[in-house]
């Protein structure tokens, strides 16, 4: 399996994402600089976390207009799976590849802690290695992660089954305390309509290696997509 990780100025989770992909597939991804205009052959593209362009204007807004993004739009049109993590999620939204917006956290504070997520469906390439309704534990680290969408868009996201993960407590209950940023409907991650693009604010790559994570719940995501794309 061939994969690519896009590197923007101030990306800081690109190596973590590459390590997770290498662990899941046995192959190192190709690192692609944002100024490049072509992608190498890839079965999966990862947009990693960080603070692309220093989060000037809005998080992900400038990165969404990088030269490489035209190639990513083309890859999306061909159905190549694309994963955006945290800042990568913001870039995908700003690029129009996922609906809605990522706004300042409720309370206007940076949040960095472990959260629990419910897996909303397991019939997609990204989530097929989980059980539906499974509660997993993954860290968040962001200032602009509050998912928002106008009511018509939110209705479409919910009605079309585009919610990938929701914030819950350790027992799987949706509570205000379990939602770290005030996201509408406790949404932590969403798909595009074909389920070939996933954006999520939590960081599965940080809990993928059993050598450093006591509960490596993120690995199933990478192994799931790797098995489908192989």
């Amino acid at each position: 399996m061939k994969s690519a990780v896009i590197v923007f100025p101030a990306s800081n989770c690109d190596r973590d994402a590459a390590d997770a992909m290498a662990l899941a597939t046995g192959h190192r991804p190709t690192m692609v600089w944002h100024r490049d205009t072509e992608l190498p052959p890839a079965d999966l593209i990862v947009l990693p976390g960080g603070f692309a362009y220093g989060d000037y204007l809005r998080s992900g807004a400038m990165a969404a207009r990088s030269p490489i993004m035209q190639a990513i739009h083309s890859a999306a049109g061909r159905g190549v799976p694309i994963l955006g993590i945290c800042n990568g999620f913001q870039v995908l939204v700003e690029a129009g590849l996922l609906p809605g917006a990522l706004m300042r956290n409720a309370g206007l504070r940076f949040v960095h802690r472990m959260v629990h997520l419910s897996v909303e469906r397991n019939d997609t390439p990204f989530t097929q290695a989980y059980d539906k309704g499974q509660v997993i534990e993954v860290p968040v680290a962001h200032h602009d992660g509050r998912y928002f969408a106008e009511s018509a868009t939110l209705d479409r996201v919910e009605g079309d089954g585009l919610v990938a993960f929701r914030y819950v407590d350790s027992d799987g209950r949706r509570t205000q305390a379990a939602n770290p940023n005030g996201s509408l409907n406790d949404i932590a991650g969403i798909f595009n309509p074909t389920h070939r693009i996933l954006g999520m604010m939590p960081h599965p790559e940080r809990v993928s290696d059993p050598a450093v994570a006591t509960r490596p719940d993120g690995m199933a995501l990478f192994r799931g997509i790797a098995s489908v794309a192989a």
Side-chain angles (χ1 to χ4, degrees):
M1 176 187 174
K2 297 178 180 178
S3 59
V5 176
I6 311 301
V7 183
F8 300 99
S11 291
N12 60 19
C13 298
D14 45 318
R15 265 57 185 180
D16 296 317
D19 287 346
M21 285 303 304
L23 193 61
T25 68
H27 301 283
R28 296 293 301 181
T30 301
M31 310 304 284
V32 179
W33 185 232
H34 74 117
R35 287 189 181 277
D36 292 346
T37 56
E38 296 183 0
L39 288 165
D43 304 303
L44 170 67
I45 299 166
V46 180
L47 278 64
F51 302 92
Y53 291 91
D55 279 350
Y56 288 113
L57 299 181
R58 294 183 308 276
S59 297
M62 294 180 70
R65 289 151 183 84
S66 287
I68 195 61
M69 291 305 296
Q70 185 171 350
I72 290 176
H73 276 278
S74 296
R78 298 193 302 272
V80 176
I82 300 173
L83 170 63
I85 302 169
C86 195
N87 192 216
F89 185 12
Q90 295 160 342
V91 175
L92 291 175
V93 168
E94 289 287 343
L97 291 170
L98 289 172
L102 279 309
M103 304 181 70
R104 291 287 165 88
N105 297 340
L108 304 181
R109 290 187 175 183
F110 187 91
V111 294
H112 183 198
R113 62 182 172 91
M114 299 297 292
V115 299
H116 292 93
L117 308 175
S118 66
V119 179
E120 294 297 296
R121 54 188 304 167
N122 67 343
D123 58 346
T124 77
F126 291 100
T127 56
Q128 52 102 24
Y130 294 113
D131 295 327
K132 182 179 180 180
Q134 181 178 345
V135 176
I136 62 176
E137 190 176 42
V138 182
V140 292
H142 58 250
H143 191 274
D144 302 308
R146 178 164 62 95
Y147 184 76
F148 175 84
E150 295 183 353
S151 57
T153 299
L154 187 62
D155 289 345
R156 179 167 56 85
V157 167
E158 293 284 359
D160 291 348
L162 304 186
V163 179
F165 302 103
R166 294 188 204 272
Y167 299 110
V168 296
D169 67 15
S170 59
D171 294 321
R173 296 173 300 193
R174 291 171 59 183
T175 69
Q176 185 174 0
N179 184 335
N181 51 35
S183 288
L184 288 179
N185 292 7
D186 306 308
I187 290 173
I190 59 171
F191 299 110
N192 76 328
T194 66
H195 304 113
R196 305 289 287 184
I197 301 176
L198 168 63
M200 59 188 298
M201 288 310 298
H203 286 267
E205 80 281 10
R206 295 185 182 179
V207 284
S208 295
D209 188 343
V212 296
T214 56
R215 183 173 163 175
D217 286 350
M219 181 47 65
L221 187 146
F222 292 100
R223 285 187 172 148
I225 190 62
S227 67
V228 172

